């Protein structure tokens, strides 16, 4: 019997990025009051730093006996907690506080504090896969090329004021960039070469704004879904975007694959991202999958494969 189904309320910890939270004292009161009202012990509180965006704090929480870790911050905070908790029986609960929150958007975890707490108190949980790049783990997507350029070009102030629409301005800056020259190897099969604008490797399928890029991606199928996007002109971009929005089986200038090991090698260093968070540029991106490695708090009932139903009802639990 795990901690979330045990009659004894679980011990918990909150890993919070103080930069993403306008009022830490109010956050602490809200979370503590919601948990103690249900008979849970007060959570431990651990703040992230510039040097450590959350992995060290989440690991410390596990060592101190936490059975559930709340990640409260943006995509970087969530990814750091995913890295620390993957492979353990400690559950991750997402309390969105940033502007991206790709995991919350993909898995129906809610977009506000009340909904996030309601999801946890309902007791739903699900084991999902994680992708691995070096010593980092991610739960949503990795990418090389245009998508990372877009993230780098997106203004933080704009994200704060207009949310995901800020990424549109970042994207427009790089629509006419030169394509990459890459070699892609999947699961030991013969490698192939392409000249794409970006290569995206997903554990789930939705981008910012709810756009579903990888229609077949499932978070617990033990596979990574790969999209190779190769538009050449503005007309190509428009056709690709229209095809994705209409969820066509075949989308112009986009190839899709599945694999458990994906290696992308470029002739020159390219921008790279994991779960919407930039990592250092590089010529190579090697991604593997750890099946069902992360225990995640999710809405109940977990009947939709993407869990993308309306999680707002969970807030009634508060």
């Amino acid at each position: 019997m795990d901690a979330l189904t045990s009659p004894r309320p679980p011990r918990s910890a909150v890993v919070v990025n103080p930069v993403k939270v306008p009022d830490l004292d109010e956050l602490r009161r809200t979370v503590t009051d919601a948990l103690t009202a249900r008979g849970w012990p007060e959570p431990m509180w651990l703040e992230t730093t510039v040097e450590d965006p959350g992995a060290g704090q989440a690991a410390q929480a596990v060592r101190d006996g936490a059975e559930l870790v709340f990640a409260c911050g943006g995509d970087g905070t969530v990814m750091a907690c995913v890295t620390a908790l993957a492979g353990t029986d400690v559950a991750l609960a997402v309390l969105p506080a940033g502007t991206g929150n790709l995991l919350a958007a993909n898995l129906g975890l809610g977009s506000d504090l009340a909904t996030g707490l309601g999801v946890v108190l309902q007791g739903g949980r699900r084991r999902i896969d994680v992708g691995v790049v070096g010593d980092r783990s991610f739960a949503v997507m990795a990418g090389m090329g245009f998508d990372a350029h877009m993230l780098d070009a997106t203004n933080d102030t704009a994200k704060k004021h207009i949310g995901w629409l800020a990424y549109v301005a970042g994207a427009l800056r790089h629509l006419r960039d030169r394509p990459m020259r890459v070699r892609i190897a999947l699961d030991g099969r013969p490698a192939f070469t392409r000249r794409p604008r970006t290569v995206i490797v997903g554990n789930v399928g939705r981008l910012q704004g709810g756009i579903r890029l990888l229609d077949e991606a499932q978070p617990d199928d033990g596979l990574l879904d790969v999209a190779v996007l190769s538009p050449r002109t503005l007309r190509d971009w428009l056709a690709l975007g229209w095809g994705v929005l209409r969820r066509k089986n075949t989308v112009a200038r986009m190839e899709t694959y599945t694999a458990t090991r994906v290696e992308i090698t470029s002739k020159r260093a390219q921008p790279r991202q994991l779960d919407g968070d930039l990592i250092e540029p590089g010529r190579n991106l090697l991604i593997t999958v750890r099946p069902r490695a992360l225990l995640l708090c999710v809405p109940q009932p977990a009947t939709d494969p993407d869990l993308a139903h309306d999680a707002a009802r969970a807030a009634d639990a508060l």
Side-chain angles (χ1 to χ4, degrees):
M1 181 177 294
D2 62 48
L4 292 185
T5 57
S6 168
R8 174 181 58 79
R11 296 184 295 274
S12 63
V14 180
V15 175
V16 58
N17 181 347
V19 176
K20 298 289 186 178
V21 178
D23 191 332
L24 277 172
D25 290 336
E26 182 175 347
L27 172 71
R28 187 163 187 159
R29 284 194 301 271
T30 301
V31 173
T32 300
D33 289 350
L35 297 185
T36 56
R38 290 300 188 91
W40 290 36
E42 289 193 22
M44 296 177 274
W45 286 82
L46 301 164
E47 293 186 12
T48 67
T49 64
V50 173
E51 296 76 21
D52 188 341
Q57 292 85 347
Q60 181 64 51
V62 174
R63 289 194 295 270
D64 290 343
E67 298 155 294
L68 184 149
V69 172
F70 293 92
C72 186
D75 290 320
T77 305
V78 174
M79 185 177 68
C81 291
V82 168
T83 296
L85 300 181
T88 76
D89 291 324
V90 177
L92 173 67
V94 179
L95 297 181
T99 53
N101 294 301
L102 281 171
L103 183 59
N106 271 275
L107 298 182
L109 305 182
S111 58
D112 58 78
L113 180 60
T115 301
L117 287 168
V119 165
V120 174
L121 292 171
Q122 279 187 325
R125 69 200 186 283
R126 185 180 184 182
R127 281 205 170 271
I128 67 168
D129 308 331
V130 299
V132 180
V133 175
D135 60 356
R136 297 178 174 103
S137 296
F138 67 92
V140 182
M141 290 182 182
M144 173 186 278
F146 171 80
D147 60 319
H149 271 305
M150 176 190 70
L151 291 169
D152 191 37
T154 301
N155 183 275
D156 286 340
T157 302
K159 285 194 294 183
K160 185 179 296 184
H161 287 92
I162 61 175
W164 66 268
L165 287 172
Y167 293 100
V168 175
L172 291 174
R173 295 186 186 183
H174 291 282
L175 282 181
R176 296 184 181 277
D177 287 358
R178 294 173 56 190
M180 304 183 291
R181 294 176 181 268
V182 300
R183 183 174 179 268
I184 302 172
L186 306 175
D187 285 344
R189 300 193 291 270
F192 56 91
T193 59
R194 291 291 187 271
R195 295 198 66 193
R197 297 299 304 279
T198 190
V199 181
I200 295 174
V201 180
N203 187 40
V204 292
R206 284 180 173 83
L207 304 173
Q208 298 288 1
I211 298 170
R212 187 164 182 81
L213 179 69
L214 297 165
D215 202 46
E216 301 299 320
Q218 300 292 337
D220 56 1
D221 61 0
L223 294 171
L224 299 166
D225 287 67
V226 184
V228 183
L229 279 61
S230 305
R232 294 285 186 268
T233 65
L234 181 59
R235 179 175 291 182
D236 288 344
W237 276 113
L238 291 173
L240 191 157
W242 182 243
V244 169
L245 288 173
R246 293 187 65 189
R247 299 180 68 173
K248 290 185 175 181
N249 291 330
T250 301
V251 177
R253 297 292 182 174
M254 184 173 90
E255 304 168 73
T256 58
Y257 306 88
T258 58
T260 60
R261 185 183 189 275
V262 180
E263 185 168 14
I264 310 159
T265 305
S266 173
K267 289 185 174 292
R268 56 189 176 88
Q270 301 290 346
R272 305 180 300 171
Q273 62 88 13
L274 303 180
D275 278 1
D277 206 45
L278 288 169
I279 62 174
E280 63 279 1
R283 293 182 58 247
N284 182 267
L285 188 61
L286 173 61
I287 307 164
T288 57
V289 65
R290 294 181 66 184
R292 299 173 62 84
L294 182 68
L295 184 62
L296 186 67
C297 296
V298 298
Q300 286 188 323
T303 53
D304 185 283
D306 299 305
L307 302 179
H309 57 284
D310 185 8
R313 288 176 300 173
D316 293 339
L318 298 179

